[in-house]
Amino acid sequence: MQKIYPNAEAALEGLLFDGMTIAAGGFGLCGIPERLIDAIQASGVKDLTIASNNAGIDNEGLGKLLRTRQVKKMISSYVGENKEFERQFLAKELEVEFCPQGTLAERMRAGGAGIPGFYTKTGVGTQVAEGKEVKQFDGEDYILERGIRADLSIVKGWKADESGNLLFRKTARNFNLPAATCGKTCIAEVEEIVPVGSLDPDCIHLPSIYVNRLILGAPYDKKIEFRTVREREAA
Amino acid sequence: MATVTETKGWTRNEMAARAAKELRDGFYVNLGIGIPTLVANHVPAGMTVTLQSENGMLGIGPFPYDDEVDPDLINAGKQTISQLPQTSYFDSAQSFAMIRGGHIDLAVLGGMEVSEKGDLANWMVPGKMIKGMGGAMDLVAGVKKIIVVMEHVSKDGSPKFIPECTLPLTGRNVIDMIITDLAVFQRPDHSSPFKLIELAPGVTREEVRQKTTAHYAE
């Protein structure tokens, strides 16, 4: 079975529909599936619910889909650095479900692992707990959180082999791994595709079973939100 | 006549240095954005402290040199950083498993309000600021010890260590220590009241009392 598609548009064929739920990898602008986001924007699909830790920044990452008003609802933990998001949210044009970062990651992991819900201490006694079942374990309160099952997962990897085994690079792994597991279909875009047998089987980050479709997204012009450097000490 | 500059209280950097006194050899530590990030500059020489970044890294190195900047290597504040020889990378689910699972020894966070019962509010001002909680709710729920570093009063002069938080909570009964520009408050466990244990240079108990509405022991 051929998993490799010529481009993002081809890889998305037959998968998009209005009102669908998409799980997206990335943290800030680090490790975001930008080719797939561009192709989703171009497709015009709308009323999307997107589970993603962040919502991009103005006109970068998922910020592009916000600008074109294709997003109905975001499930996110942190949405700072995005003026258009703030405007749509305050104007009640955009629905937002704030979800603690670790709970969001676990909801994706659980969804992909066949676990429909789990109890966590995170958010107990806060807004996040409102309307959720509370259960005591060993004298402490926990709230019930639901696993996320998305119609589609879009993730960014570093290197893949032709079978879809994936490696991520440094902190660009972030939500890409749990997001990849929780979609009915997962499309991964990567910087390099190598022949099977080129990757060490002991070192695969995401086994190929989770990757349904694969595209080569290179070349990438990776954006940096806050470039911080130190001075080289004088010799 | 030269004007006398007021040197009372701690600067942001001195608050971070005070928080660093709570570090212990072998600690795994998560530092929040802002003043908490500065704590990394004050790790005592000879002490091994491993910094966790909740976007998926243990062993945060210093900011990179200009020619070493890597877009794939950032901290939770989205700043470029560097790795160390002992660094490991992992995904967000794994990262929060170690946070929620009680494997992190200490977290230092910023705060908008802390209540006398140890509640923390630091993620939202309704109708105004809507950034989101990020990993803060997970950190206060799972990390063994939580220190809040914040200015003692807000920009309009109103107390931030108060009887009951007015803003949406990040966590209920979760704070162990509060370090402000004026003083340090601590409690031994989550059923005890906070106690004033230290004053910043030039600050009196009376001034702290005037600028605090929370009840605390002295």
Side-chain angles (χ1 to χ4, degrees):
Chain A
M1 190 185 148
Q2 178 59 266
K3 289 185 180 178
I4 303 171
Y5 286 69
N7 54 48
E9 188 192 349
L12 285 162
E13 205 179 304
L15 298 178
L16 298 177
F17 58 94
D18 292 348
M20 71 187 298
T21 298
I22 297 176
F27 183 94
L29 298 180
C30 183
I32 54 170
E34 45 186 303
R35 300 284 169 269
L36 290 161
I37 291 169
D38 285 347
I40 290 169
Q41 183 189 28
S43 80
V45 66
K46 58 182 193 299
D47 294 331
L48 301 172
T49 293
I50 301 183
S52 167
N53 187 55
N54 312 94
I57 59 174
D58 290 310
N59 221 20
E60 289 292 345
L62 293 171
K64 293 180 180 175
L65 299 182
L66 289 169
R67 218 172 79 122
T68 51
R69 314 292 295 273
Q70 286 168 270
V71 184
K72 184 182 73 178
K73 178 181 176 182
M74 288 296 309
I75 306 174
S76 302
S77 86
Y78 188 85
V79 297
E81 283 89 58
N82 191 328
K83 292 234 170 357
E84 177 60 14
F85 183 105
E86 192 156 339
R87 191 198 64 72
Q88 289 185 21
F89 177 67
L90 291 175
K92 297 193 176 8
E93 295 167 8
L94 175 70
E95 209 182 316
V96 181
E97 178 184 337
F98 280 109
C99 180
Q101 194 173 144
T103 296
L104 182 59
E106 190 63 15
R107 287 178 67 190
M108 291 181 181
R109 197 200 70 81
I115 297 173
F118 58 91
Y119 291 97
T120 177
K121 213 173 1 166
T122 302
V124 168
T126 74
Q127 268 185 18
V128 164
E130 283 170 18
K132 289 173 187 162
E133 183 197 327
V134 179
K135 194 176 166 95
Q136 271 206 356
F137 294 91
D138 306 320
E140 288 207 63
D141 285 345
Y142 294 78
I143 55 173
L144 178 65
E145 292 281 2
R146 295 294 309 268
I148 291 175
R149 285 290 283 167
D151 297 303
L152 174 68
S153 296
I154 54 171
V155 302
K156 160 83 194 323
W158 174 43
K159 226 182 241 195
D161 70 16
E162 292 157 332
S163 78
N165 286 314
L166 234 66
L167 293 182
F168 301 98
R169 188 168 174 276
K170 304 190 182 212
T171 56
R173 192 178 322 182
N174 57 59
F175 276 80
N176 283 297
L177 196 149
T181 67
C182 77
K184 288 174 193 155
T185 305
C186 170
I187 311 176
E189 57 175 88
V190 295
E191 295 173 41
E192 189 182 356
I193 299 177
V194 298
V196 286
S198 326
L199 302 179
D200 180 352
D202 266 333
C203 295
I204 302 294
H205 296 149
L206 182 71
S208 67
I209 192 167
Y210 295 109
V211 178
N212 304 102
R213 301 183 182 190
L214 188 62
I215 60 163
L216 182 65
Y220 283 95
D221 172 28
K222 297 175 188 174
K223 302 286 196 303
I224 294 172
E225 273 184 74
F226 302 110
R227 185 187 180 93
T228 43
V229 296
R230 63 181 154 145
E231 295 295 318
R232 215 172 275 279
E233 297 80 7
Chain B
M1 278 286 287
T3 48
V4 181
T5 45
E6 203 175 352
T7 54
K8 204 172 65 173
W10 282 315
T11 62
R12 287 162 57 89
N13 205 34
E14 287 164 343
M15 289 159 71
R18 176 59 190 83
K21 287 188 180 174
E22 302 304 314
L23 298 170
R24 299 291 177 268
D25 194 37
F27 262 22
Y28 286 85
V29 177
N30 183 293
L31 300 176
I33 297 163
I35 302 175
T37 305
L38 302 174
V39 175
N41 302 332
H42 300 280
V43 178
M47 187 183 281
T48 304
V49 169
T50 305
L51 299 178
Q52 199 250 20
S53 193
E54 63 259 33
N55 52 323
M57 178 185 197
L58 272 175
I60 306 177
F63 292 137
Y65 295 119
D66 195 57
D67 54 4
E68 290 172 358
V69 166
D70 184 341
D72 287 338
L73 182 44
I74 61 170
N75 63 17
K78 286 127 188 167
Q79 297 172 306
T80 48
I81 47 169
S82 65
Q83 68 181 25
L84 300 169
Q86 67 272 30
T87 292
S88 60
Y89 298 110
F90 34 85
D91 68 88
S92 298
Q94 172 71 267
S95 178
F96 283 91
M98 62 184 75
I99 288 169
R100 206 188 300 105
H103 304 279
I104 307 278
D105 298 289
L106 172 69
V108 184
L109 304 173
M112 297 176 191
E113 294 176 344
V114 177
S115 84
E116 62 189 38
K117 299 180 194 82
D119 301 345
L120 170 69
N122 75 347
W123 73 280
M124 185 188 210
V125 180
K128 281 187 191 160
M129 189 208 80
I130 50 134
K131 290 180 187 299
M133 71 288 280
M137 285 194 182
D138 308 278
L139 286 161
V140 298
V143 173
K144 288 177 196 159
K145 178 174 178 172
I146 306 288
I147 300 176
V148 168
V149 178
M150 64 180 188
E151 304 295 331
H152 201 89
V153 296
S154 61
K155 286 193 183 97
D156 68 5
S158 53
K160 296 174 72 171
F161 182 29
I162 53 185
E164 199 71 61
C165 291
T166 63
L167 296 169
L169 294 184
T170 305
R172 203 177 278 279
N173 193 13
V174 290
I175 304 305
D176 299 284
M177 184 181 240
I178 306 161
I179 298 171
T180 76
D181 51 326
L182 303 183
V184 181
F185 303 88
Q186 191 179 27
R187 56 178 184 165
D189 55 66
H190 288 185
S191 46
S192 303
F194 283 95
K195 186 174 181 201
L196 175 65
I197 61 163
E198 206 172 316
L199 293 165
V203 177
T204 64
R205 286 175 180 275
E206 184 51 35
E207 181 181 357
V208 173
R209 259 181 242 131
Q210 277 170 11
K211 293 179 173 172
T212 311
T213 52
H215 298 89
Y216 57 89
E218 292 201 41

